[in-house]
Amino acid sequence: MKILTTIEAIQNYATSCKTQGKTIALVPTMGALHEGHLTLMRAARKKCDIVIASVFVNPTQFGPNEDYDAYPRQFEADCEKLESVAVDAVFHPEPTEMYPEGYCTYVNVEGDITHKLCGAQRPGHFRGVATVVTKLINLSRADEAFFGQKDAQQVTVIRRFVEDLNINVHINMVPIAREENGLARSSRNSYLSTEEKNAALVLSRSLKQAKAAFSQGETEVTALENIVRQELGKEPLAHIDYVKAYAYPSLKPLKQVNEDTLLAIAVKIGKTRLIDNVILSA
Ligand code: PAF
């Protein structure tokens, strides 16, 4: 597996792949790789000749009081995992390579889709995501890019700017990878103590209950949100940031589940903020 750390190196690599007529898949990550990321890599491997992963903890998507400094960094272990799923190249730049002195250009997706859910809780977050993902797609000359459903709002935002800016890439959303006990896989799970990890199971459990109620005929959005809130309320270590349902992928408000609907939650377990969701298919 090639390790690329400079803009010049990834540009040269992508150009040489394209010259040979190869298709390129990009899987952007912030490292601390787990089975969820590897699921994305495998999906990418199936679809394209070349798979480029990026491992970059992107400073512009973290707020001043968020976990940028604490975010787990374990590049050597990440490389072993990437090699195990036959990734061709990993792009691992320094922050100054991506944002050198004088850098001042950002991709800002305006409007409703960035102002709710995680966008409301984390001002500036999606501006940082949109900026770095634009740069990564551009640098890698990707035909296909892969993201997880756990960040379903992120996928909507990325699809929006890809369409608006006429970027020639197809965005793939891969279902959430879960541990056997239901916990959605996340690099931030590594912050949880054993007790907190146990408590965190309430996220998937609450969504499962809402999904079951929906299968049994409950279509009122407020009722479904309340089922989730009630279950989360039973866990003393859980503090709700939001429990919200929106039409998916538009993220428009709705009263009844009469089109595909994202039921999304963000919950703090101790100091760790976790997200999870389910898509209810109408
Ligand atoms: O989902 C993530 O890990 C990040 O937001 C991404 C897409 C790698 C951009 O930094």
Side-chain angles (χ1 to χ4, degrees):
M1 184 177 70
K2 287 197 185 323
I3 297 178
L4 313 167
T5 58
T6 64
I7 301 290
E8 193 188 355
I10 186 169
Q11 283 177 326
N12 288 343
Y13 181 69
T15 302
S16 89
C17 295
K18 286 284 170 188
T19 311
Q20 293 165 52
K22 296 193 166 149
T23 55
I24 299 178
L26 169 71
V27 188
T29 82
M30 298 206 298
L33 301 180
H34 50 70
E35 191 50 37
H37 294 113
L38 301 188
T39 309
L40 300 180
M41 306 293 162
R42 289 190 196 99
R45 180 75 283 160
K46 275 196 194 138
K47 216 159 177 185
C48 287
D49 302 320
I50 297 289
V51 178
I52 303 179
S54 62
V55 171
F56 179 60
V57 185
N58 174 36
T60 63
Q61 70 187 75
F62 288 81
N65 299 318
E66 293 184 357
D67 57 344
Y68 174 68
D69 288 330
Y71 201 85
R73 288 158 172 90
Q74 43 189 57
F75 186 59
E76 271 180 33
D78 287 345
C79 283
E80 278 174 28
K81 289 179 184 157
L82 292 174
E83 280 183 326
S84 78
V85 287
V87 164
D88 297 285
V90 57
F91 180 49
H92 181 52
E94 288 295 325
T96 48
E97 186 71 12
M98 293 296 272
Y99 303 109
E101 179 88 36
Y103 187 93
C104 56
T105 303
Y106 293 87
V107 177
N108 199 19
V109 179
E110 297 181 357
D112 220 23
I113 58 169
T114 50
H115 295 153
K116 48 185 59 163
L117 302 174
C118 288
Q121 305 282 325
R122 305 182 68 188
H125 171 68
F126 286 118
R127 175 181 181 259
V129 169
T131 301
V132 80
V133 173
T134 303
K135 284 166 74 74
L136 292 168
I137 291 171
N138 199 12
L139 289 168
S140 63
R141 301 184 61 181
D143 302 284
E144 304 277 340
F146 292 76
F147 301 87
Q149 186 198 310
K150 189 162 75 64
D151 299 297
Q153 182 181 19
Q154 170 170 280
V155 175
T156 288
V157 171
I158 291 169
R159 285 186 169 143
R160 184 74 260 160
F161 77 71
V162 161
E163 189 177 332
D164 290 351
L165 299 179
N166 315 112
I167 302 176
N168 198 8
V169 65
H170 177 246
I171 302 300
N172 299 266
M173 183 168 83
V174 177
I176 299 178
R178 296 185 181 279
E179 293 182 10
E180 269 172 28
N181 57 21
L183 182 66
R185 293 192 188 262
S186 163
S187 304
R188 290 191 170 96
N189 291 349
S190 67
Y191 298 151
L192 301 170
S193 67
T194 312
E195 189 194 6
E196 289 173 337
K197 214 168 173 199
N198 228 2
L201 300 182
V202 75
L203 277 84
S204 55
R205 191 164 64 239
S206 66
L207 290 170
K208 208 170 159 190
Q209 289 181 5
K211 196 175 175 188
F214 172 67
S215 308
Q216 284 157 27
E218 179 60 81
T219 58
E220 206 190 306
V221 160
T222 322
L224 293 166
E225 289 172 351
N226 282 341
I227 291 170
V228 175
R229 281 178 184 284
Q230 261 173 27
E231 187 60 25
L232 291 172
K234 291 181 194 160
E235 172 48 65
L237 292 185
H239 298 280
I240 298 175
D241 261 6
Y242 64 73
V243 174
K244 286 300 281 176
Y246 290 108
Y248 197 77
S250 70
L251 298 186
K252 293 226 162 74
L254 78 182
K255 288 199 161 76
Q256 296 286 331
V257 181
N258 45 24
E259 58 186 294
D260 285 358
T261 297
L262 174 73
L263 180 52
I265 62 180
V267 178
K268 280 209 185 81
I269 302 287
K271 288 195 176 129
T272 306
R273 184 176 178 278
L274 300 174
I275 57 173
D276 199 350
N277 69 66
V278 67
I279 293 178
L280 306 172
S281 305

